[in-house]
């Protein structure tokens, strides 16, 4: 989700974009819901979410999407990069 200046304020993943957009519209009416990257693979989704989080450091995200201690962290990030997430 981005603010009026285009700054990423929140990053997440979902299996239902329309439902999640409605939830965010209710909770954060001043932010714009947008899709940065799409994939049906959970592994790719997790990696893409972490890449967005690392790149923009969204202030509304309270925790890391993938724990730094997760042994599969690099696998998820590499899967997202192979799928086209830059």
């Amino acid at each position: 989700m981005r603010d009026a200046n285009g700054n990423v304020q929140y990053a997440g993943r979902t299996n239902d974009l329309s439902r999640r957009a409605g939830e965010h519209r209710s909770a954060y009416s001043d932010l714009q819901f947008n899709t940065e990257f799409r994939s049906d693979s959970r592994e790719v989704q997790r990696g893409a979410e972490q890449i967005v989080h690392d790149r923009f450091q969204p202030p509304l995200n309270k925790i890391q999407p993938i724990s730094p201690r997760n042994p599969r962290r690099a696998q998820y990030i590499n899967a997202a990069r192979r799928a086209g997430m830059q």
Side-chain angles (χ1 to χ4, degrees):
M1 295 180 48
R2 294 180 183 263
D3 63 18
N5 296 321
N7 300 311
V8 174
Q9 299 298 308
Y10 181 84
R13 59 189 169 88
T14 184
N15 61 358
D16 187 338
L17 284 172
S18 58
R19 175 191 49 81
R20 193 65 171 147
E23 292 169 354
H24 281 293
R25 205 172 14 260
S26 296
Y28 307 105
S29 60
D30 57 330
L31 298 178
Q32 177 65 41
F33 182 86
N34 63 309
T35 304
E36 296 288 329
F37 189 79
R38 264 192 95 151
S39 173
D40 290 332
S41 165
R42 182 175 178 271
E43 182 178 65
V44 171
Q45 290 173 357
R46 292 199 67 196
E49 180 184 17
Q50 185 64 53
I51 290 169
V52 170
H53 184 273
D54 291 345
R55 184 175 299 147
F56 298 107
Q57 298 295 306
L60 295 176
N61 287 88
K62 303 301 181 205
I63 61 171
Q64 289 274 332
I66 305 171
S67 168
R69 294 186 302 217
N70 186 323
R72 297 182 70 191
R73 181 182 171 108
Q75 177 182 334
Y76 296 145
I77 292 170
N78 289 334
R81 288 186 177 135
R82 282 192 306 274
M85 179 69 188
Q86 298 303 319

